[in-house]
Amino acid sequence: MSALSSWPPTLTASQREELHKSATTWALSRGLCYLPPPIPDVPSTSLILPPAAAIHAPLSLLPTPFPRSLFLSSQRLQSVYNVLYSRVATDTEFLDRYMGCESEEGVGKVDSFTGKLWEGWKSVREEGGYDRQPLHLGLFRSDYLLHTSNNSYSLKQVEFNTISSSFGPLSERVAALHRYLAASTSYYDSSPLLNDKNRFPHNETTKGLVEGLATAHKAYGVPNAHILFVVQPSERNVFDQRWLEYELFESHSIKVTRRTLDELATDAKVDPTSHSLLISNPTSPNSPPIEISTIYFRACYTPTDFPTPSHYDTRFLLERSRAIKCPSLPLQLAGGKKVQEVLTRPGVLEHFLPDVDQNVLTELRGTFMGMYSLDLDISDGGNTTFPKTRAKHLGLVLKPQREGGGNNVYKEDIPAFLDSLSASSSSTIHSESKAWIAMDLIQTPPGVGGYLIRSPPPGSSKEEIEAGRGGAQAEIISELGIFGYSLFGVVDGRKKIEVEKTIGWLVRTKGKESNEGGVATGFSVLDSLLLVD
């Protein structure tokens, strides 16, 4: 498709500057915002004082071309992925085998973070915790890149997210921003594609994510209960979360309570009889505690969220309650990279999706890249040192069981990393390598460009601010995420999906020189789609 290789259209410096000004003003006016980064050497006070300032979220000045047929395919497949991961999360034997601590294949045996989550899950289920609340809520996001091969494009999955699938509300606002700029400026007639409103797909992710949370709240059956957002301290991406909170209240009359794990350690308790999760209200100490219907985790996906053993205790206390978890521990484990690798093996999709048409399974399997377990062969003391991975290292990425960006090992960095694994594994029979997955690199379309806009960091010089006017032009890679939700569980001994739905999308774009892709970690900007045929 020539639209990709010839993108972006030519804009003069003054046109880019005017678009930049319009885009950032619109973003600040419409809540497409971040809290600013902390000033160097000044302690953060965001948990003590109300926010005094905001910056616009990093964003693309123009939408990015994307094949319409592949966008429609990604939406069709999301329903199948919703069902697939709902069924994985309720297959205890499968998760014990591949994510647990007691199986030779289980990554929990060698990855301490995964192991602690699995042990917590095992303890809760042995106590009957999932009999008290059999339902689980998943707010999912399946992430894809375009892959080029033999002069054609295909859709390839990067990963499937089962916890803290963020940027839905802000991405919806980027799509609206690009529609506004197209309508108000025609992008200065720089491309006929930008003058066709039918190429700008609508995005209602906020409504869809809130519908999922509200569905779980209704299933809990206590109308006056709140939904608990478990958040990280000093969260800069707070507006993305607040838009969900406001929509829950305005459209469903559901109130939200926000707490960090540290706050929950003192504020949360589980009623010993009803197993209801109750949260004390420090601002109204004489009022009764707040009952929680649904726990929405925007934290607890990284080991840094658990600096002490007591933080794990708090997480497991929440799991023991009868509130519906989004996600529950088994659903969080189902999002592990090991599970993604196992699903590519012959016959595994058929095991979980026996009722799905073979043509649909073929389309789903077509989104997989080659993935390989990175188990070190220690039969001769570890001297094999991953020969296949070494030979292919320039075409691979190594992934641990982590979320949040910044964790992978790419191409030329792989041999030295394998050396470190070989050295660390020489004294133990359980190699750390089992916690890692090798994945064939997706070959993204070359020559696609864009204009990337970021708010200048604190302390930027006048020259640095001037250099950012109109956005930084770069060759780019764009990642498409499709959102979905599922309310499911084992009810009366039968596995059941109460409701599942495809609900929206996002695009994150980065410069091609960057391997990593997180927005919150500073690698990517938020973007939207321009559908091309």
Side-chain angles (χ1 to χ4, degrees):
M1 293 182 181
S2 59
L4 274 70
S5 59
S6 62
W7 204 256
T10 301
L11 293 164
T12 68
S14 62
Q15 288 170 343
R16 286 170 56 185
E17 185 173 339
E18 189 62 29
L19 287 168
H20 186 164
K21 186 188 304 181
S22 296
T24 54
T25 303
W26 190 99
L28 290 167
S29 301
R30 302 299 183 93
L32 180 48
C33 298
Y34 257 33
L35 291 180
I39 300 173
D41 302 322
V42 176
S44 173
T45 58
S46 62
L47 291 181
I48 302 171
L49 299 175
I55 60 174
H56 67 78
L59 55 90
S60 172
L61 195 61
L62 295 157
T64 295
F66 198 90
R68 186 188 302 270
S69 62
L70 295 182
F71 175 65
L72 296 176
S73 175
S74 69
Q75 292 191 306
R76 286 196 306 272
L77 289 176
Q78 186 60 38
S79 179
V80 188
Y81 271 118
N82 292 342
V83 172
L84 173 61
Y85 276 85
S86 299
R87 291 176 178 175
V88 169
T90 52
D91 192 324
T92 300
E93 182 180 355
F94 179 87
L95 289 176
D96 281 349
R97 177 177 178 180
Y98 293 111
M99 300 300 287
C101 297
E102 298 173 355
S103 163
E104 283 302 313
E105 298 175 88
V107 298
K109 180 173 288 189
V110 294
D111 182 273
S112 61
F113 178 57
T114 302
K116 286 182 182 297
L117 296 180
W118 180 84
E119 288 172 349
W121 172 44
K122 183 172 184 285
S123 176
V124 172
R125 74 188 196 225
E126 288 175 348
E127 296 168 9
Y130 300 101
D131 296 330
R132 303 166 194 152
Q133 180 50 262
L135 294 178
H136 314 244
L137 175 65
L139 296 185
F140 300 138
R141 196 186 70 223
S142 185
D143 293 336
Y144 302 95
L145 289 173
L146 285 181
H147 178 66
T148 59
S149 178
N150 300 321
N151 297 317
S152 64
Y153 299 125
S154 58
L155 199 65
K156 295 297 182 181
Q157 188 182 62
V158 178
E159 63 183 356
F160 191 89
N161 301 274
T162 63
I163 183 169
S164 190
S165 302
S166 59
F167 293 112
L170 293 194
S171 292
E172 176 180 332
R173 281 154 182 80
V174 174
L177 164 64
H178 288 157
R179 289 196 302 271
Y180 165 76
L181 291 175
S184 61
T185 72
S186 299
Y187 279 105
Y188 302 106
D189 296 318
S190 56
S191 168
L193 297 175
L194 292 165
N195 292 329
D196 183 353
K197 65 180 181 180
N198 293 319
R199 296 187 183 276
F200 292 77
H202 280 271
N203 190 343
E204 295 186 332
T205 303
T206 307
K207 178 181 177 181
L209 292 170
V210 165
E211 180 183 301
L213 290 165
T215 299
H217 174 86
K218 183 178 180 180
Y220 183 80
V222 180
N224 292 330
H226 290 199
I227 291 178
L228 172 66
F229 283 21
V230 182
V231 299
Q232 294 173 324
S234 302
E235 174 64 75
R236 291 183 58 217
N237 191 26
V238 65
F239 298 98
D240 187 61
Q241 301 169 11
R242 289 290 188 180
W243 280 116
L244 299 176
E245 177 181 340
Y246 303 150
E247 179 72 13
L248 277 165
F249 185 72
E250 292 168 7
S251 296
H252 300 275
S253 300
I254 299 171
K255 294 181 180 180
V256 166
T257 294
R258 294 171 59 87
R259 292 290 192 279
T260 65
L261 280 182
D262 282 322
E263 292 167 332
L264 289 167
T266 57
D267 293 351
K269 68 175 183 178
V270 175
D271 184 277
T273 303
S274 67
H275 303 289
S276 300
L277 178 62
L278 305 175
I279 308 294
S280 61
N281 187 351
T283 60
S284 301
N286 296 323
S287 62
I290 300 164
E291 183 172 356
I292 299 300
S293 68
T294 306
I295 308 170
Y296 176 42
F297 288 98
R298 289 294 290 258
C300 301
Y301 57 82
T302 173
T304 57
D305 285 335
F306 300 91
T308 70
S310 66
H311 288 81
Y312 285 102
D313 293 339
T314 302
R315 171 65 185 89
F316 301 150
L317 174 75
L318 302 179
E319 193 77 8
R320 288 183 171 91
S321 76
R322 76 177 189 94
I324 297 173
K325 274 70 69 174
C326 178
S328 61
L329 286 170
L331 184 54
Q332 181 173 350
L333 291 169
K337 303 299 185 294
K338 181 64 176 181
V339 170
Q340 187 184 359
E341 179 266 317
V342 173
L343 290 174
T344 69
R345 299 180 185 179
V348 178
L349 282 184
E350 286 79 3
H351 167 74
F352 284 108
L353 301 171
D355 50 345
V356 174
D357 183 84
Q358 187 60 48
N359 291 330
V360 176
L361 290 182
T362 299
E363 185 179 9
L364 187 76
R365 190 174 281 110
T367 66
F368 296 164
M369 291 298 289
M371 299 187 73
Y372 320 96
S373 177
L374 197 65
D375 293 355
L376 174 64
D377 183 357
I378 60 170
S379 58
D380 59 351
N383 295 326
T384 53
T385 60
F386 320 103
K388 292 181 180 179
T389 307
R390 287 183 183 279
K392 296 179 61 177
H393 71 272
L394 292 178
L396 294 175
V397 54
L398 306 186
K399 297 185 174 186
Q401 312 301 311
R402 294 291 181 273
E403 302 299 332
N407 300 301
N408 299 335
V409 181
Y410 290 84
K411 298 184 292 188
E412 60 273 1
D413 295 330
I414 290 176
F417 178 75
L418 294 180
D419 289 340
S420 71
L421 286 183
S422 298
S424 67
S425 300
S426 60
S427 61
T428 176
I429 193 169
H430 299 305
S431 165
E432 183 190 347
S433 64
K434 290 183 178 181
W436 289 79
I437 298 299
M439 177 177 169
D440 290 336
L441 278 173
I442 300 170
Q443 302 302 319
T444 56
V448 186
Y451 304 112
L452 312 183
I453 298 174
R454 295 180 174 89
S455 184
S460 296
S461 67
K462 180 180 178 181
E463 291 77 14
E464 290 170 328
I465 294 173
E466 288 291 333
R469 288 184 183 274
Q473 186 168 1
E475 188 173 354
I476 60 172
I477 296 173
S478 294
E479 186 171 323
L480 171 67
I482 304 296
F483 288 98
Y485 77 79
S486 178
L487 183 66
F488 64 94
V490 182
V491 181
D492 296 328
R494 296 182 59 189
K495 296 179 181 180
K496 183 179 181 182
I497 297 175
E498 300 286 346
V499 59
E500 62 82 17
K501 193 171 181 180
T502 301
I503 54 178
W505 52 272
L506 67 74
V507 181
R508 292 167 296 172
T509 290
K510 65 181 180 181
K512 197 159 189 175
E513 75 285 351
S514 172
N515 283 324
E516 295 292 350
V519 177
T521 49
F523 298 107
S524 296
V525 303
L526 297 173
D527 198 351
S528 77
L529 295 179
L530 186 73
L531 300 180
V532 294
D533 301 305

